[in-house]
Amino acid sequence: MRRHLVLPLALILALGQAAVTFAQQPPPVDGILRLLLRLEQLMQAGDPAPYMDLLSVVADRRFAEEASRALIGPGITRAVIRERDRAPLDGTLPGDGYRLMVEILAERGSRARIETWRFDIRRVPTETSEDEWRMAGQQSLSSVDGLYRLALNPSKAYRARNLVVRSEDLEIRLPDGFVFTADTPDGPTAAVLVANDGATMSFRPAPETEREQVRIYAGSDSIETRIGDAFLRFSPSDFQAWLPADALVEAAADPALFRRAETVFREEVGRSFSIDLADLSRETWSLPPTAGDFLAEIRTRRFQTLTYSKSANDPEDISVFDRRRRRNISVYPSAARLAAGVSRFEEDAQAAFDVSHYDLDVAFDPARQWLDGRALLRLKVRAGAINNLTLRLAENLTVRSIYSNEFGRLLSLRIRGQNNVIVNLNGFATRGTEITLDVAYSGRLEPAEPDRESAAPQFPSDQPQVVDGQSFPGESSLLYSTRTYWYPQGTSGDYATAVMHLSVPEMYQIVASGELAAGSPVVVPGHDRQPSGRRYTFEAGQPVRYLACLISRFVRVSSRTLSLVEPLAGLASAGSGAMPAEPLPAGSFNSQLELIVESNPRQTARARQAAEVAASVVTYYTSIVGDSPYPDLTLALIEKDLPGGHSPAYLAVLYQPLPTATTNWSSDPAAFVSFPEYFIAHETAHQWWGQAVGWRTYHDQWVSEGFSQYFAALYARERRGDELFGAMLRRMAKWAREQGQAGPVSLGYRLGHIQGDSRIFRAIVYNKSAVVLHMLRRLIGDDAFFRGVRRLYFGARFDKVGTDDVRAAFEKESGRDLKRFFDAWIHGSGTPAVAFSWAPAAGGAERAVALRVEQRGKDSEFPVTVTLRYADGSTEDMQVAVAERTAEFRLPIRGQVKEITLNRDGFTPLEIAGR
Ligand SMILES: [Zn+2]
């Protein structure tokens, strides 16, 4: 039985070369190798009959005959067989039988197929000392067909006149030029456009948000530029759709032009849709794109190479990428995708499986940044039927073996340039199937900054980077967390429980995203040349989004048990009447929290202060939300050049800048110098926001950062009073206003991406989001706001939310339609611009003024403080909510009004035009 392995196209696209790599080269056993070489010869000879001569006496001849016809057929021009794995064969004496897993490349001219086979082989007694082996059984497990070794056709070219290649929002215009193609039996799948003068391209994305990004990149709403040559990939069935026949006339191929086209072809063909088969073949083999998919590498005058791609596999199926600067310029769903109702990136909808539990056993050698790991993953299939699954694992880590109870030993494909492993299941798994994978892996892994979830200031790439290492005088540390892919994991980041056994040499300590098990760590005495070490066990009994660990030299500063207030009782007594949307099951509230503080040896004094702050932060947040999601929190203070932090579940890492640090970071959006507790408050809030309540797609990351930032501000008010709270909000609103044009909150990591300035990301995703939450609170009132917070939290505890879920929670609790508010502040960029005027109000019993606020820019909705200054010099603050284009308010007054100002507190990011 043949099974087709369909590779996820998105993996192959974009970063190009994929490689099949296998860690274990089998020991050279001549007899087995000879058997495989003999089989290669038979395949190349194309005659299955002699295969029967290779059989062992125990082989089933009928099966073997059938298999031989599948394996050996006419037309094979080259066959390569590589052993990938071997295990003892049941029913044989040790060394007398093996079950081999092999990979076979069968080339037929420019087309090829990779197959996976299982061969059961037995040793046969011989007179000589030479090993001799025979086939006792064989089974085809899987195959990938339709690989092409592409080459431009030298004997055929087209003269192009007024050729326009159109894809959604893209036009490539070739008034005059030549087209060369690379052909498959089904038609051309690649083309090179050789442009004479006057060739141009234009790209104008339909979504407004994307046009704003293009404006940042190109200075106008569309990318218009003269171009040189271009390279196109498409499905053979689509040739005429992309390259209309009426613009092409077959012409003789000029050798000079052909050479020029071939240079372009060679440079570009390996970058997408191509698999490098490592030891099976050194050549570039390509898969044809699926019908409808399209890729263009366009050599432009202004921007060097721009890659446009339309890929049905990606929910945001249109993208434009700047190859040289490695920047995503545009990423968005096509009109058809939008019409079909896929309006946002739904990572989960694509996830073929869920991982529910991890059991890791990883040994670290921090000095070499080396790790040796074994991971058990318990997963459940969600898709209809799959025969392969994709795990994330850092590219540097080598998979040594993968074993599944259900499917036996499994082979994997490693994608070069990407942190992915495609595991071939040797069969189909249907929805609901539970699979346990046992993955052994190792390699050198540098910890990466978990940048998208870290509050550390990161400076624009054109400024000197502060790098750990030689120049860093502090205690070094290794943080393996999200985006490091230090253990094999699902691609969608689902919640899972975990047990981690982590070992380090004795001079190090380790903290991790879990509860330290009783009796842990265990000291492991040295043996052979292995130094003695410590083996830690951490348990994450509550579901976590990802696992993290931090290795450094730590001292335990404190450990204490906090008593937390039972939430439902607390809510009821607060008189809010707010029962959470989905109250916790009885008994699941963590009424106690173990707060452990560890720090680098020189930071113990600061750590003791931090312990006090963290205790009050945790208690305070629990009182707001009505829950504390994780029963343990380890606060780890490590030395770094810049302040900041990172907060996986169960763990908050705080970066302590050294007194010697010279970098001035106070102009960063995440710097609140008058509130030194800020980082503890922000990072700790992530236990609730970002961890217990996760974010669905990059568009929703603001939920994590915005709530954490706002909670930090709430804590500032709780601890230090209104003045500091006001100052923080003003500062955040200022950043929101100043950087508002960089894009909407929902653009997530892409904010500042084109500019290479992560301060923009923090200004919008951290600060503007927090300001938006405060405005929301002012609009709907404290009661509805905090009930909304709890509704959101309890409705999504250990789940991921999108912006729509946030809106729904607050709409439910406030009884208001908040579409305009969220559209303006989360999905829209910029800040509102208004003009206002006022006059004494006519009529009415009380004295009043009439205030008129006119929105000049895009429609928005916001609260704003109105300050009346009376003739006697006193002032009075009031709040109005502006929703309409022109809003009029009648404000009661208590004297003669001399002046009215808007937004004196600076809490609303607002442009105010002259009166
Ligand atoms: Zn954060």
Side-chain angles (χ1 to χ4, degrees), residues 453-455 645 682-683 686 704-705 708-709 766:
E453 303 210 356
S454 159
H682 177 101
E683 295 305 331
H686 277 311
S704 165
E705 298 302 344
S708 293
Q709 193 76 332
Y766 287 40

Side-chain angles (χ1 to χ4, degrees), residues 467-495:
V467 182
D468 277 8
Q470 312 86 342
S471 63
F472 177 64
E475 191 78 62
S476 64
S477 55
L478 290 177
L479 174 62
Y480 292 114
S481 184
T482 178
R483 305 179 62 74
T484 317
Y485 307 118
W486 62 282
Y487 62 98
Q489 53 201 271
T491 50
S492 65
D494 278 306
Y495 283 86

Side-chain angles (χ1 to χ4, degrees), residues 537-570:
T537 299
F538 295 95
E539 293 165 352
Q542 299 278 61
V544 300
R545 271 178 60 220
Y546 56 83
L547 300 170
C549 66
L550 173 67
I551 302 163
S552 190
R553 290 209 304 129
F554 288 117
V555 288
R556 171 72 62 97
V557 173
S558 69
S559 167
R560 61 195 278 198
T561 305
L562 306 179
S563 293
L564 304 170
V565 181
E566 182 70 28
L568 297 181

Side-chain angles (χ1 to χ4, degrees), residues 629-652:
Y630 299 103
D632 259 62
L633 177 64
T634 302
L635 194 65
L637 279 75
I638 55 171
E639 294 174 350
K640 284 267 195 181
D641 285 290
L642 293 167
H646 175 59
S647 195
Y650 289 88
L651 179 63

Side-chain angles (χ1 to χ4, degrees), residues 47 90 189 238 352 363 383 478 528 666 868:
D47 180 7
D90 287 348
T189 181
D238 289 346
L478 290 177
D528 299 334
S666 62
L868 297 93

